[in-house]
Amino acid sequence: MARPRPALVLASTSPRRRDLLTQIGAVPADIRAPDIDENPHKGELPLPYAQRMASEKARAVAREDGEVVLAGDTVVALGRRILPKADSEAEVARFLRMLSGRRHRVYSAISVIDADGGQRTRCATSQVRFKRLSEEEIASYSSSGEGIGKAGGYAIQGSAAGLIDFLSGSHSGVVGLPLFETRALLKAAGLPLA
């Protein structure tokens, strides 16, 4: 007897992640918001932090065998420093001043729990550079509200794209879900994707 097709559960309420999943033909049967402590551990570096967050988010919403759970976490890092989600216009402006004219890394980790409970985690690393930003550009972007709630204080899928002069790596990863790695893990977990 053939095993039933597993149901995909997305451990994220991010509309960007849902939209990105549709690009690879993956439609979640359920969406669950993970409730975990997202504070970095003392001395935790950006890459291990991103991987831990994705893994913990997946485990936090996994409920039963037969489901495939997908979780992601995107971390913006300037050197060893993690730039969290900006919570105000002032923080967006502060982050943009820090990132202006400099390269930074974006770690986009994904974790998949397969229908048998096995878990795999991968991470796409991208390098991004903003042009040298004027105070007027910083003020304009900050006041738009687009960067509030976004890691590092910006959304590459929005107007910030016009301020970025270099990107190496996964554009979808910087948005919030690296599609190449996601597709590979979901296929390995038994989801039939084109």
Side-chain angles (χ1 to χ4, degrees), residues 37-119:
D37 177 2
E38 295 192 38
N39 292 310
H41 294 157
K42 185 175 180 174
E44 189 170 28
L45 296 175
L47 174 59
Y49 169 69
Q51 293 170 320
R52 180 175 67 82
M53 286 293 92
S55 178
E56 287 184 10
K57 287 177 181 179
R59 286 195 306 268
V61 305
R63 293 188 187 146
E64 57 193 60
D65 288 344
E67 296 178 335
V68 172
V69 178
L70 168 67
D73 195 72
T74 303
V75 173
V76 173
L78 189 57
R80 298 165 60 99
R81 182 176 184 169
I82 296 168
L83 300 184
K85 292 177 183 173
D87 61 9
S88 66
E89 286 183 25
E91 194 162 46
V92 170
R94 184 169 66 86
F95 288 167
L96 289 180
R97 284 185 193 95
M98 293 168 66
L99 297 172
S100 176
R102 300 175 67 185
R103 283 191 190 189
H104 63 278
R105 292 186 190 273
V106 178
Y107 298 99
S108 190
I110 55 165
S111 191
V112 171
I113 298 176
D114 64 31
D116 296 321
Q119 186 171 17

Side-chain angles (χ1 to χ4, degrees), residues 183-194:
R183 183 179 180 275
L185 285 185
L186 290 178
K187 283 185 73 74
L191 285 182
L193 301 174

